[in-house]
Amino acid sequence: MREVYQEQLGKLADELASMSTMVGTAMERATQALLETDLTLAEQVIEDDMQVDEARSRAEEHAFGLLALQAPVAGDLRTVISTIHAAEDLERMGDLALHVAKTARRRHPHPVLPPDVREYFSEMGRIAVKLAGRVHEVIRTQDVEAARGLEEDDDEMDDLHRHLFTVMMSPEWSHGVAAAVDVTLLGRFYERFADHAVAVARRVVFIVTGKMPTS
């Protein structure tokens, strides 16, 4: 009976790892759509978002089923509850990639990003995809040190996000208010994507150690 239960917990981890891959792919494609004004790619991200939502529903249904039928205790209970919260964070990451894609679609055929900030978003997209990949690894390995290491990538994302405001507040900014609003919102989408990735990693640390990191 215990062996079957552990197998079910393993399936929960598989579901989360799969979601991390899905949202990483979504953000990679959304960033490409943004940088290349690619409507087809933006539409693909928008269409595929439903798969992320369905994956979260499956993970939650599975987790609640374990709570109801197995009455887990101690470490197992931490795993189930943390899975529910992590699935929520991963779905939100998918939603943020969706927002990027919708912005690219809304402005098509015109580019969203002024030349001044394209390099920033290229780098922010790279970091976001890297974070999703590291989340996948952490979920699979439950490596506490690797999980804590995501904080460094998040700091890098925060730095880029702050620098965006420096560019927009510069007297040399000549792209108007609409472009500034788009850039502000997009920067926030990437920053929040990174924050949710860190939140998932912290859940893994909690599962392994029983202590939730506070910073």
Side-chain angles (χ1 to χ4, degrees):
M1 190 68 178
R2 181 67 182 174
E3 184 176 336
V4 172
Y5 184 49
Q6 289 300 316
E7 182 179 338
Q8 291 173 329
L9 290 177
K11 288 181 179 179
L12 276 178
D14 289 342
E15 288 167 350
L16 290 185
S18 176
M19 285 186 71
S20 67
T21 298
M22 292 167 68
V23 300
T25 298
M27 185 55 94
E28 183 175 29
R29 291 172 175 170
T31 300
Q32 186 178 345
L34 186 68
L35 293 171
E36 299 178 7
T37 319
D38 190 326
L39 180 60
T40 300
L41 206 51
E43 293 283 9
Q44 183 179 356
V45 174
I46 294 165
E47 181 179 346
D48 289 349
D49 181 64
M50 184 175 295
Q51 297 177 19
V52 179
D53 297 340
E54 291 172 349
R56 177 195 174 178
S57 295
R58 287 193 301 270
E60 287 188 341
E61 182 178 356
H62 189 184
F64 284 125
L66 287 176
L67 285 175
L69 299 176
Q70 301 291 346
V73 295
D76 292 345
L77 182 59
R78 288 202 308 270
T79 299
V80 175
I81 297 299
S82 294
T83 294
I84 294 171
H85 288 293
E88 180 181 358
D89 283 307
L90 287 162
E91 184 192 30
R92 185 59 184 146
M93 290 167 72
D95 289 341
L96 291 161
L98 173 68
H99 294 335
V100 174
K102 283 185 173 180
T103 303
R105 182 178 69 175
R106 185 173 67 251
R107 296 301 186 192
H108 191 271
H110 304 291
V112 179
L113 301 175
D116 315 43
V117 297
R118 284 178 55 84
E119 184 176 342
Y120 287 92
F121 281 96
S122 177
E123 184 64 8
M124 290 170 81
R126 184 193 67 78
I127 294 170
V129 174
K130 178 183 177 182
L131 279 165
R134 293 187 69 180
V135 165
H136 180 278
E137 177 186 352
V138 163
I139 291 170
R140 288 292 192 190
T141 63
Q142 295 197 337
D143 185 328
V144 170
E145 291 306 312
R148 290 171 174 156
L150 268 73
E151 302 277 357
E152 295 179 5
D153 290 318
D154 183 47
D155 289 343
E156 190 176 355
M157 182 74 84
D158 289 340
D159 287 343
L160 287 166
H161 185 236
R162 283 192 292 269
H163 289 158
L164 282 176
F165 288 97
T166 302
V167 174
M168 288 186 292
M169 296 298 292
S170 168
E172 298 179 3
W173 180 264
S174 60
H175 308 290
V177 174
V181 170
D182 281 340
V183 169
T184 299
L185 290 174
L186 286 165
R188 181 63 171 163
F189 298 154
Y190 283 90
E191 183 206 23
R192 291 300 297 151
F193 186 97
D195 288 344
H196 283 288
V198 170
V200 175
R202 288 176 175 174
R203 295 289 175 190
V204 173
V205 174
F206 178 61
I207 289 170
V208 176
T209 68
K211 297 180 181 179
M212 178 64 77
T214 57
S215 61

